[in-house]
Amino acid sequence: MARLELDDITKHFDDDGETIVAVDDASIDINDGEFLVLVGPSGCGKSTTLRMIAGLETITDGELRIGGRRVNEAKPRDRDIAMVFQSYALYPHMTVRENMSFGLEESTDLSEGDITDRVESATDTMGISDLLDRKPSELSGGQQQRVALGRAIVREPEVFLMDEPLSNLDAKLRAQMRTELQRLQEDLDTTTVYVTHDQTEAMTMGDRIAILNDGILQQVATPLEAYHAPANQFVAGFIGEPSMNFFDVDLEGDSVVGDHLDYPVSDDVRTKLDTDALVLGIRPQDIELVDAVESGHDIAVTVDVVEPMGDENNVYLTFSDAPTNETFIANVDGRTLVEEGDDIVAHIPEEAVHFFDRRSGEALRNREFDGDADVDLSL
Amino acid sequence: MTSTNSNSLSGRSWRSTALYAVLVLLVVFYLLPLWTGLVTSIKADVLATAPFLPPAPAGFTSVHWTRAINALTGGLVNSLILAIPATILSALLGSMAAYGLTTLNWRHQVPILMLFIAGIFIPYQAVLIPLSKFWASIVPVNDLVGYVGLAGWVGDLIGLILSHVAYGIPICTLLFRTYYKDFNEEMIEAARIDGATTHTIYRRIILPLSVPMFAVTLIYQFTQVWNDLLFALVLVGPGAGAPVTVPLSQLGASLSEVGFGIRMAGAFVAALPTIIVYVLFGDQFAEGVST
């Protein structure tokens, strides 16, 4: 186990003489035993970052340290890491036992007996002891996934690297493996870097998450921080399901004004807004549906579409004064009875509102949130 | 209803009858030369019956086969000494080259690959003279073997083996490359992270997974080398080291008559090893071709 430090890591690819910046100046310190999730849309550089840590891609600039030792130039085999791939990447001609002992045979001087012991204890951990003599083609997707994980843990490396390891599983199995992986990582207490494009995985699994976009690190934070106190509009929109609603607004006197919106802001909030061109953000979960307009924070809306999910409803709303244009989403209790075409009122509580600088995207004001307190934000 | 059913039924049976008729015709078409060859090889007098009819019991003889086997035994042994190492070497080297040019990443791979591909298209006839000069004066291999006490024809045969290996490598490389391109890249990366070197990845991962493609290249290359007459004639020629195709071409040739019987028997004797190779590697061949 070791601390993993990315110090201004940069990666340039050369494409027909043109330089493409895949990762730009990314710095992350990952503590010993920490579970860090690298998340972002496809093409954001998260896999490239992971592959640089693994040694499968060269590092253009910056320094990578594992346990304080610079490993930029070290071969993958000399970095003391193990990696789980999206395709599992099992050796098809080898049995489960051979797949798992391969790494120990190639990278250690362990005796045959020790290797057998290590492999058998790893298969016990993964619950695949009865599959030892099977070939990968005779295993289900979930079983192959377990073998791939087992092949990584048997090495007892300093760092685990995981590249979207659950994305080939069906939804139910994925949820189950997610919990199992978390428990496993906690038991082993091995530093882990986990790449995913799925923000649910990021939120549920990570001790901290690092959000990347266009090769630039947007924020490194705990899941709750990223959710409630996003550093910028990209993070705010990426984390959370359904996505945060955004409205372009301008600060005019003591309210912000948008196309269909005239929203009064308190002095407390206004002092944080150092520019006039703003984006107002509100999470669907924070919008309340009420019967009548009682204050400036209430907006007359029309129900466009209702997506019932059982425990909750996603209600797509349009402004009553512009029925066909922009829709935004409110996420309400599943027992709330609203139907398409209903004219109702959406209450946007000021304490839950985010403001972003429209030009830079930087967060100027986040919702009221105390990271240490019990988080009950249902309001 | 009933009439429609029986109509469609008779329509179907008519169609399958036609299909079988065509298939039988094709079978006859392909087997006829073999059959004619076979019956001709056991006739005492080839003109006694029509070419495709078997001889009358009195006209049966096995003398053509005995004579053909006697005349070709030496050539068969030479051909085996030639074809087995030439086939294995070109398949193995082709597989290694394909691994280096496909699975590994380094600069200037493409121009080198182009050279390999270009090698496939060099006609044998174009290199005959330079090649024979090369083995005669630049690397006089039949003199060189003399120093270790071997006869000159052994040297000629070694030259022939190396020539076939050199001319077999490009096509083998291409075949293996097509196969390796479909390998899961992440699997190779997993092996690198597992600590395997370039060499062990080839030995423990690539090579065991190449078995079906080895069957394809072994069959293909064995047939090529075995059936070659041009290189054999020019580089070795008739004599102690001649591969079977050389004596086969001279079998039954005399001024007085054309020895159809012995020629047919000889052709069968010479073709036998390639048929055995097809039977031995057929299953893997099918697997390799289909992937």
Side-chain angles (χ1 to χ4, degrees):
Chain A
M1 277 146 283
R3 193 177 159 78
L4 173 66
E5 292 157 291
L6 280 69
D7 205 349
D8 290 333
I9 295 290
T10 299
K11 175 72 186 176
H12 292 174
F13 283 111
D14 204 33
D15 183 39
D16 278 334
E18 240 178 286
T19 304
I20 294 169
V21 182
V23 180
D24 195 9
D25 258 351
S27 295
I28 317 173
D29 282 358
I30 301 147
N31 293 321
D32 191 1
E34 190 178 11
F35 195 119
L36 181 102
V37 177
L38 273 177
V39 69
S42 41
C44 73
K46 54 189 191 300
S47 285
T48 309
T49 308
L50 192 76
R51 292 169 58 81
M52 282 193 284
I53 301 173
L56 298 171
E57 300 282 356
T58 55
I59 298 170
T60 311
D61 205 6
E63 190 170 76
L64 178 72
R65 291 182 294 271
I66 297 176
R69 180 173 65 102
R70 179 188 160 98
V71 290
N72 284 39
E73 290 78 20
K75 292 212 167 100
R77 53 178 300 169
D78 300 323
R79 295 188 184 199
D80 207 358
I81 46 158
M83 185 155 167
V84 181
F85 293 86
Q86 184 177 0
S87 66
Y88 315 140
L90 299 175
Y91 312 124
H93 58 298
M94 297 186 190
T95 62
V96 169
R97 182 191 295 280
E98 287 161 347
N99 261 285
M100 290 177 68
S101 40
F102 183 82
L104 293 175
E105 288 162 11
E106 291 300 325
S107 63
T108 65
D109 303 324
L110 290 178
S111 71
E112 217 166 289
D114 288 342
I115 290 179
T116 309
D117 289 347
R118 289 256 291 257
V119 168
E120 276 166 13
S121 97
T123 48
D124 275 347
T125 314
M126 294 311 303
I128 47 171
S129 310
D130 49 336
L131 306 177
L132 272 172
D133 296 315
R134 301 234 199 128
K135 295 261 179 78
S137 57
E138 300 161 334
L139 303 176
S140 70
Q143 288 169 331
Q144 292 187 28
Q145 169 66 69
R146 279 166 196 277
V147 176
L149 282 169
R151 190 172 65 175
I153 63 173
V154 78
R155 302 262 317 276
E156 298 177 10
E158 297 281 5
V159 178
F160 282 137
L161 305 175
M162 307 197 182
D163 192 1
E164 311 222 14
L166 305 184
S167 58
N168 286 356
L169 300 177
D170 63 63
K172 202 164 179 186
L173 197 54
R174 194 183 314 155
Q176 187 190 327
M177 283 305 289
R178 208 157 64 200
T179 327
E180 203 167 314
L181 238 168
Q182 260 174 296
R183 191 177 307 135
L184 184 72
Q185 198 270 342
E186 243 157 69
D187 290 347
L188 298 171
D189 203 27
T190 305
T191 314
T192 303
V193 182
Y194 185 103
V195 161
T196 180
H197 65 272
D198 178 355
Q199 60 96 21
T200 316
E201 273 178 28
M203 289 292 286
T204 53
M205 299 177 82
D207 291 328
R208 279 193 302 158
I209 56 185
I211 301 114
L212 272 154
N213 186 34
D214 275 343
I216 296 167
L217 194 59
Q218 306 288 319
Q219 186 171 12
V220 185
T222 65
L224 281 185
E225 267 170 8
Y227 185 80
H228 294 298
N232 55 40
Q233 195 184 342
F234 176 81
V235 175
F238 190 80
I239 301 290
E241 177 68 37
S243 290
M244 187 185 275
N245 299 298
F246 295 115
F247 307 101
D248 285 356
V249 291
D250 293 301
L251 183 62
E252 290 177 11
D254 52 5
S255 53
V256 291
V257 180
D259 287 345
H260 315 285
L261 207 66
D262 189 344
Y263 189 91
V265 286
S266 61
D267 293 344
D268 202 26
V269 171
R270 203 171 52 229
T271 50
K272 293 178 180 163
L273 310 179
D274 53 12
T275 171
D276 289 347
L278 301 166
V279 173
L280 182 153
I282 179 79
R283 291 215 178 268
Q285 290 82 358
D286 290 329
I287 298 181
E288 289 166 61
L289 298 182
V290 293
D291 294 327
V293 177
E294 283 170 1
S295 74
H297 294 164
D298 298 342
I299 301 152
V301 290
T302 307
V303 176
D304 188 24
V305 177
V306 180
E307 286 178 353
M309 321 266 280
D311 58 334
E312 51 182 38
N313 288 337
N314 286 333
V315 185
Y316 290 73
L317 305 166
T318 59
F319 294 102
S320 290
D321 62 348
T324 51
N325 276 345
E326 256 175 288
T327 66
F328 62 104
I329 306 175
N331 181 271
V332 295
D333 188 279
R335 286 164 297 184
T336 314
L337 292 171
V338 283
E339 279 180 34
E340 204 178 311
D342 283 0
D343 286 314
I344 49 167
V345 172
H347 173 64
I348 300 177
E350 192 180 6
E351 62 270 26
V353 163
H354 299 255
F355 283 107
F356 306 95
D357 184 320
R358 205 189 301 163
R359 273 178 290 269
S360 67
E362 189 192 334
L364 302 174
R365 191 266 182 178
N366 279 318
R367 62 133 46 247
E368 287 166 20
F369 160 67
D370 181 358
D372 300 326
D374 271 350
V375 184
D376 177 18
L377 299 158
S378 52
L379 294 167
Chain B
M1 274 302 278
T2 331
S3 68
T4 341
N5 265 347
S6 69
N7 265 352
S8 74
L9 207 72
S10 71
R12 204 178 305 151
S13 71
W14 188 90
R15 228 175 298 153
S16 62
T17 313
L19 177 68
Y20 281 113
V22 170
L23 287 177
V24 166
L25 275 176
L26 280 174
V27 168
V28 170
F29 178 76
Y30 282 110
L31 283 185
L32 198 61
L34 285 177
W35 172 253
T36 313
L38 196 65
V39 289
T40 308
S41 73
I42 52 173
K43 283 181 196 171
D45 175 8
V46 287
L47 300 174
T49 49
F52 49 85
L53 290 181
F60 171 83
T61 177
S62 61
V63 67
H64 297 315
W65 278 81
T66 353
R67 277 170 59 202
I69 290 171
N70 283 339
L72 296 179
T73 307
L76 280 173
V77 173
N78 290 341
S79 273
L80 285 175
I81 294 172
L82 160 72
I84 291 172
T87 306
I88 293 174
L89 273 177
S90 41
L92 198 64
L93 292 172
S95 145
M96 285 178 180
Y99 168 63
L101 288 167
T102 312
T103 318
L104 303 181
N105 272 323
W106 42 283
R107 281 169 184 217
H108 313 306
Q109 266 176 321
V110 177
I112 292 174
L113 184 69
M114 297 316 282
L115 281 178
F116 274 86
I117 306 289
I120 299 174
F121 300 105
I122 297 177
Y124 277 19
Q125 291 82 345
V127 295
L128 276 181
I129 292 170
L131 196 63
S132 57
K133 287 270 179 229
F134 177 81
W135 289 124
S137 19
I138 299 175
V139 184
V141 77
N142 61 345
D143 293 344
L144 293 177
V145 292
Y147 296 118
V148 288
L150 290 169
W153 62 267
V154 178
D156 287 340
L157 212 47
I158 290 173
L160 186 58
I161 289 172
L162 295 179
S163 306
H164 275 300
V165 169
Y167 281 87
I169 285 175
I171 185 73
C172 290
T173 307
L174 188 70
L175 285 168
F176 277 107
R177 181 179 151 80
T178 329
Y179 192 61
Y180 292 164
K181 266 170 90 168
D182 291 337
F183 276 17
N184 179 1
E185 235 173 275
E186 290 190 339
M187 175 183 73
I188 310 296
E189 288 172 345
R192 281 173 64 196
I193 289 177
D194 264 347
T197 58
T198 305
H199 175 78
T200 42
I201 289 174
Y202 179 74
R203 191 171 51 82
R204 296 195 58 185
I205 312 263
I206 303 286
L207 206 53
L209 289 174
S210 306
V211 172
M213 199 32 82
F214 265 103
V216 173
T217 47
L218 287 181
I219 288 185
Y220 176 81
Q221 200 50 25
F222 186 86
T223 315
Q224 287 284 313
V225 176
W226 187 273
N227 290 341
D228 167 71
L229 174 63
L230 201 56
F231 276 6
L233 208 53
V234 175
L235 297 181
V236 180
V244 72
T245 45
V246 177
L248 179 67
S249 66
Q250 292 153 349
L251 204 62
S254 72
L255 291 173
S256 55
E257 53 152 8
V258 180
F260 283 117
I262 189 170
R263 283 189 170 185
M264 293 304 163
F268 276 102
V269 170
L272 208 57
T274 50
I275 293 167
I276 292 171
V277 167
Y278 269 94
V279 171
L280 284 181
F281 295 104
D283 286 349
Q284 281 98 336
F285 181 80
E287 196 187 324
V289 168
S290 66
T291 45

